[in-house]
Amino acid sequence: MQASSSPAAAETRAAWRMAAGGALLGTLGVFLLESGSDAASAAWFRCAFGVLALTLWAQATRRTPLWRLPAGTALRVGVAAALVVLSWVVFFVAIQHLSVGLATVVFHVQPLCIMVAGAWWLGEPLPRARMAAVLLALLGLSLATGLLGSGAAVSWLGVALCGVAVVAQTAVGLLLRARTPVPPLALAWWQCAVGALVLWPWLWLNGWPAWGPAWGWLAALGVLHTGLAYVLIYGGMARLATARTALLQFVYPAVTLLCDALVYQRLLAPGQWLGVGLMALALWWGARPVSAAAPQAALTRRG
């Protein structure tokens, strides 16, 4: 009895880890806005403190150094890391034009975009059920953004910026569809390392934030929302089926919407909530296995 319940217990722990990581990411927008920083500076802090946190975690757990990559993957990882950093900066700008919750919801159409892009560019199969899930997600997105008159007017610049971030993340997903896999945390380490290097001239030209509480908010973007959150999320995803990870991915936008309501008193209209629900259903439906084969863990990137 104990042996048979052990896998179920391990899966439950993995689900809680992923949910905890998603909940932590759900507070990212609050830390960004409370820091009062511009998007590029905030992204640099996230990268710099993120690479430090991930390095210390790898050393503390005596893991293989995260900067070591499988042979032949360095160029691919470098380009993917640069695209992820671009998506972070653009997403941070989008948050400053939209509500934190709505920007996060729009961004979460990205896994389904990877599905469509994989079928278009790589010739991967796209069953009718998954195509229906994409159409359902687009309907939900239209409702959530108020395009169909379901809520208050939104900043279309913010929506467009979220679209740019989604395109960048989708390109990352296509780059990483290769025979030689890259460990997720190694990719996260390189994202942070490349971002800290590329964004450094911005701070050198524009100056550092004033010393004070802002530094605490910004440092947390790297330590909590990158280092700790990614360790929790990827540790959980590795032990869960795709359909379950897809459902748990909506812990992130759900907590973001809750923070928006509690901290900034910004609520979505009923029609927008319907759109959020349709997007969640589409993501879960699209991630369901289409055959009896064992599903693989999803490797979608976070905001």
Side-chain angles (χ1 to χ4, degrees):
M1 179 67 69
Q2 185 176 1
S4 62
S5 64
S6 180
E11 185 173 341
T12 299
R13 288 194 298 270
W16 277 109
R17 285 185 64 177
M18 187 174 176
L24 193 56
L25 277 179
T27 66
L28 181 148
V30 174
F31 282 69
L32 171 65
L33 295 178
E34 293 301 312
S35 73
S37 175
D38 65 89
S41 297
W44 183 86
F45 272 87
R46 184 180 190 184
C47 292
F49 282 89
V51 74
L52 177 62
L54 288 170
T55 300
L56 292 176
W57 174 81
Q59 291 182 340
T61 55
R62 297 185 178 181
R63 293 175 178 263
T64 302
L66 295 176
W67 54 85
R68 292 184 183 175
L69 295 171
T73 63
L75 178 61
R76 186 158 46 92
V77 168
V79 174
L83 286 170
V84 170
V85 173
L86 171 64
S87 74
W88 283 355
V89 174
V90 173
F91 180 65
F92 285 178
V93 177
I95 286 177
Q96 296 169 348
H97 287 83
L98 290 171
S99 69
V100 179
L102 187 55
T104 305
V105 167
V106 174
F107 183 78
H108 268 72
V109 76
Q110 179 259 342
L112 295 173
C113 290
I114 288 184
M115 187 189 307
V116 174
W120 187 14
W121 288 99
L122 304 179
E124 296 177 348
L126 185 61
R128 291 181 180 178
R130 289 185 174 174
M131 194 64 221
V134 172
L135 296 176
L136 182 64
L138 291 176
L139 173 61
L141 183 62
S142 299
L143 288 169
T145 57
L147 180 63
L148 299 183
S150 58
V154 299
S155 166
W156 289 106
L157 174 60
V159 174
L161 289 169
C162 284
V164 173
V166 168
V167 170
Q169 291 279 7
T170 301
V172 171
L174 294 178
L175 279 172
L176 298 179
R177 297 283 178 92
R179 294 181 179 178
T180 305
V182 179
L185 285 176
L187 180 60
W189 189 94
W190 278 102
Q191 290 165 8
C192 292
V194 169
L197 179 63
V198 170
L199 294 173
W200 168 256
W202 175 268
L203 280 97
W204 182 71
L205 292 173
N206 293 277
W208 295 88
W211 180 256
W215 278 70
W217 293 109
L218 291 168
L221 292 177
V223 176
L224 298 180
H225 300 102
T226 304
L228 179 57
Y230 279 20
V231 167
L232 289 171
I233 290 171
Y234 290 132
M237 289 176 73
R239 296 168 176 82
L240 295 172
T242 302
R244 193 166 185 184
T245 61
L247 193 60
L248 286 169
Q249 284 177 27
F250 259 81
V251 171
Y252 172 16
V255 172
T256 302
L257 290 169
L258 181 62
C259 288
D260 240 1
L262 294 178
V263 179
Y264 301 113
Q265 290 75 52
R266 291 188 292 214
L267 297 172
L268 298 182
Q272 290 177 295
W273 279 111
L274 175 60
V276 173
L278 290 178
M279 290 181 66
L281 176 61
L283 186 58
W284 170 79
W285 188 10
R288 293 177 64 192
V290 295
S291 67
Q296 297 178 348
L299 292 180
T300 55
R301 301 275 72 79
R302 311 304 300 176

